[in-house]
Amino acid sequence: MVNGVESVIQSISDSRGHYDIDGVSLWHGRTIVGSGILETNQIGDQSMETKEASRRPMRKLTVPIQGLACGGGGSLQLEKQIEKLPGVAKVYVNPATREAYVDVSDEFNLDEMLDLIRKNGFQYEEPRWN
């Protein structure tokens, strides 16, 4: 297995630009998983410097929401409103599972989001940090 992984890494390293294999990306010498940079790769005599000072760690939040209808039932409108809250990087409100999936930074205020859900006429259950 290690040899297979090493050959994939070598293939990516020999290429230029951005490549994505099963959620692991190589972008101009940086190994990226999801939204965070794992390491800086050296290519030949060149080394890419990673500047992470401005990058804030993301946390994942799941909020069960009651009252969402399968046909949408306001989920898109709620999604757009949550997306505008400070600290929200990504949001998806799924009417089929009746849950909101939110990626947030440290500046996110959970109470503000829960108030927004109530103001839209929905009820929520206990939020879960993943």
Side-chain angles (χ1 to χ4, degrees), residues 1-13:
M1 179 68 178
V2 173
N3 290 336
V5 171
E6 288 175 355
S7 68
V8 169
I9 291 171
Q10 185 60 44
S11 296
I12 292 173
S13 295

Side-chain angles (χ1 to χ4, degrees), residues 32-43:
I32 302 172
V33 176
S35 61
I37 296 174
L38 283 184
E39 64 185 57
T40 300
N41 294 321
Q42 288 189 347
I43 302 174

Side-chain angles (χ1 to χ4, degrees), residues 11 27 39-40 44 53-54 57 77 83 97 126 129:
S11 296
W27 185 75
E39 64 185 57
T40 300
S54 64
Q77 178 182 350
E83 188 174 59
T97 62
E126 187 67 29
W129 292 101

Side-chain angles (χ1 to χ4, degrees), residues 36-111:
I37 296 174
L38 283 184
E39 64 185 57
T40 300
N41 294 321
Q42 288 189 347
I43 302 174
D45 292 336
Q46 297 177 340
S47 175
M48 300 294 290
E49 184 179 326
T50 303
K51 296 181 181 177
E52 290 293 313
S54 64
R55 186 178 290 272
R56 295 183 180 196
M58 291 290 148
R59 295 181 66 195
K60 295 190 179 291
L61 174 67
T62 302
V63 181
I65 301 175
Q66 296 181 7
L68 292 173
C70 284
S75 61
L76 186 58
Q77 178 182 350
L78 180 60
E79 187 175 285
K80 288 181 180 185
Q81 291 177 18
I82 293 172
E83 188 174 59
K84 294 177 184 177
L85 293 175
V88 173
K90 184 168 63 171
V91 61
Y92 173 58
V93 177
N94 187 333
T97 62
R98 295 183 176 93
E99 291 183 320
Y101 307 97
V102 190
D103 291 355
V104 300
S105 68
D106 290 338
E107 62 186 298
F108 173 74
N109 183 326
L110 178 59
D111 291 332

